[in-house]
Amino acid sequence: MIGEDLTTANLSGEIETKSINTENSDRDNRLRTQEFSYVEKHPKITFYSKAIKKIEGYNYVMVGDLTIRGITKE
């Protein structure tokens, strides 16, 4: 990607909340409950980029919206 203008890129991604794996089954099961990710009602965590800013050299900062449990924050 050297030479390409990353500041014009749009990135997005999603994670199935039931796929979260911390290598601790007790913790993983608790993270899937209503108290945390609430897998049944919110099966995905999503991210949509809004801007990519070049800092210096090959360093960039991405700003976007992250949605977990139906709550979106920048």
Side-chain angles (χ1 to χ4, degrees), residues 5-62:
D5 185 3
L6 295 178
T7 61
T8 62
N10 291 307
L11 301 171
S12 65
E14 62 183 35
I15 300 168
E16 291 186 24
T17 52
K18 68 181 177 183
S19 73
I20 294 172
N21 181 348
T22 66
E23 297 187 15
N24 179 315
S25 60
D26 290 336
R27 181 184 311 132
D28 294 343
N29 290 331
R30 187 159 183 232
L31 287 171
R32 294 181 183 110
T33 66
Q34 284 183 338
E35 183 180 4
F36 290 98
S37 63
Y38 199 177
V39 172
E40 291 80 25
K41 189 171 180 185
H42 304 285
K44 296 183 188 226
I45 296 170
T46 60
F47 177 83
Y48 297 97
S49 69
K50 297 193 312 188
I52 300 174
K53 300 173 186 174
K54 188 170 186 173
I55 304 299
E56 63 180 74
Y58 295 110
N59 297 311
Y60 293 81
V61 171
M62 184 183 315

